[in-house]
Amino acid sequence: MSAVLDHHDHDHAHHDDHHAPTGWRRWVFATNHKDIGTLYLLFSFTMLMVGGILALIIRAELFQPGLQLVNPELFNQLTTMHGLIMVFGAIMPAFVGFANWMIPLQIGASDMAFARMNNFSFWLMIPAALMIVSSFFMPGGAPAAGWTLYAPLTLQMGPSMDAGIFALHILGASSIMGSINIIVTILNMRAPGMTLMKMPMFAWTWLITAYLLIAVMPVLAGAITMTLTDRHFGTSFFNPAGGGDPVMYQHIFWFFGHPEVYIMILPAFGIISHVVPTFARKRLFGYASMVYATSSIAILSFIVWAHHMFTSGMPVTGQLFFMYATMLIAVPTAVKIFNWIATMWQGSMTFETPMLFAVGFIFVFTMGGFTGLILAMAPIDIQIHDTYYVVAHFHYVLVAGSLYAMFAGYYYWSPKWTGVMYNETRGKIHFWWSLIAFNVTFFPMHFLGLAGMPRRYADYPMQFADFNALATVGGFAFGFAQVYFFLFVVLPTMRGQGAKAPQSPWESAEGLEWEVPSPAPFHTFETPPKLNAAANKVIG
């Protein structure tokens, strides 16, 4: 979607720039989509650091056999809170931040549809995050039932479990409000002439993700509310002593949990679908098939949930159904990977930092996808269920998947956000440091899992020592790479240090976001750009 705005619009945007509120009021009462996007991104990076510190304590404990730093109870609390904070505090809010910043710019809208609700959905996250983190200091410590919060463990936890349930309810409400906002913005506020099938891929992936969120967040709310009533109001949904069934909790949770996995990866697909064509200097190969593949993934994600439960005693017919359905979902995912590779094929590629992260994403995410395909096979999964093989698999998908795509998106769009270019050398150091450290951390875990090391254990026998020591060294290196990223890449650009960014820093980038000045003015597209649907150009 390329366009040319007339000078009047630019002048108008600059003229309005000084109407931006200043000081703390600008952020507390923010209704501008760019400010709220920035708040989301800063919040998610903070939570990434908190979750990362918990992960490093876990890895330090696992550096060698025996109990070094923490007792097994605290170890279980750390693994549980690491998972909850990373999923609900880091990955999801970061993608909402990208959506807030980019979707109005990409579709030619002046702002998000519901500006005040946008503010509310962000500020709900702060008390929820404080409640989750403070649960370590409650009687009995933080929840220690695993991030999946399985019964019957959740029925035996202390008061922090109730705080965790309340926090998840608040975060779920925030997600639903954000999703409604995104759907209404995309469906009702596109520039005239921008049909759905001419919409940028990032907007498409977020539209589908928002529908997924609205469908599954109430399912999680139901599961944790049933847990709450089991704990305090005498019900027996999951308590076998009263006729309940703990396996029912697993079914309800994973009916939420599997679409949730795609909620955390579909926006990443959207970002990669912008970065790859820009640096291959070609149009995205198979745009329509990308849209249909994204929709297919979303629909199929609802019928594969029980592949997390092959060891829970389900009948063979159930195992077969979920095994085949899970293998089927690999098809639209493979379509996307094929399309990205076809986009790069015979393109005149250059490897600036966004492209490095995009190619790194495709490489490592594909590895994570293959291990997922292996775990989809019921006979194999029964052998390696709840081992470090599973930990390796989902970190390949979520760290090297979601997180790498976010880094690609940050390097790609930050010149538009800040008005200055990041330091290319530092960006490349960040990429190679992250890529090598990540693989040193998580690749050995495949072998640990195949050798039978169970996850969520604070201690292990001597034969697992070498690979665990290697993983710990890699984990600390990976953590420090992200500190380097913030201190030496993000902070200088936020302070305006660096070369001034041109309006379109990437010569072949397409999209309305590259038609406004850098940094993007406080108010953009007050008059929607009129697009010629046939030629994708602004008219009039």
Side-chain angles (χ1 to χ4, degrees), residues 395-478:
H395 282 87
Y396 265 80
V397 173
L398 281 181
V399 180
S402 301
L403 196 64
Y404 277 23
M406 286 177 206
F407 288 142
Y410 173 81
Y411 285 108
Y412 184 60
W413 283 312
S414 70
K416 183 57 62 187
W417 300 346
T418 61
V420 296
M421 295 300 292
Y422 63 88
N423 184 304
E424 190 67 56
T425 308
R426 291 176 183 177
K428 286 180 172 163
I429 290 170
H430 174 224
F431 169 73
W432 287 109
W433 187 353
S434 293
L435 185 77
I436 293 164
F438 169 82
N439 282 291
V440 168
T441 308
F442 293 104
F443 200 73
M445 291 185 189
H446 293 102
F447 303 116
L448 288 170
L450 290 170
M453 179 172 167
R455 63 200 267 207
R456 298 182 182 145
Y457 275 40
D459 194 9
Y460 54 86
M462 198 64 213
Q463 69 257 35
F464 301 136
D466 293 347
F467 275 153
N468 266 301
L470 189 63
T472 296
V473 171
F476 274 86
F478 186 77

Side-chain angles (χ1 to χ4, degrees), residues 147 254 256-266 308 397-398 402:
W147 85 273
W254 285 115
F256 148 80
H258 205 79
E260 165 69 17
V261 174
Y262 293 103
I263 286 164
M264 290 189 282
I265 200 68
L266 290 181
H308 297 268
V397 173
L398 281 181
S402 301

Side-chain angles (χ1 to χ4, degrees), residues 279 281 350-357 422 424 428 506:
F279 295 97
R281 289 162 182 78
T350 53
F351 292 96
E352 288 87 344
T353 311
M355 187 60 163
L356 284 176
F357 270 107
Y422 63 88
E424 190 67 56
K428 286 180 172 163
W506 320 115

Side-chain angles (χ1 to χ4, degrees), residues 68-91:
Q68 269 64 246
L69 299 173
V70 298
N71 60 33
E73 290 78 16
L74 180 56
F75 186 86
N76 286 346
Q77 293 171 31
L78 291 168
T79 52
T80 301
M81 300 308 288
H82 166 69
L84 286 173
I85 287 169
M86 287 305 202
V87 169
F88 295 105
I91 301 284

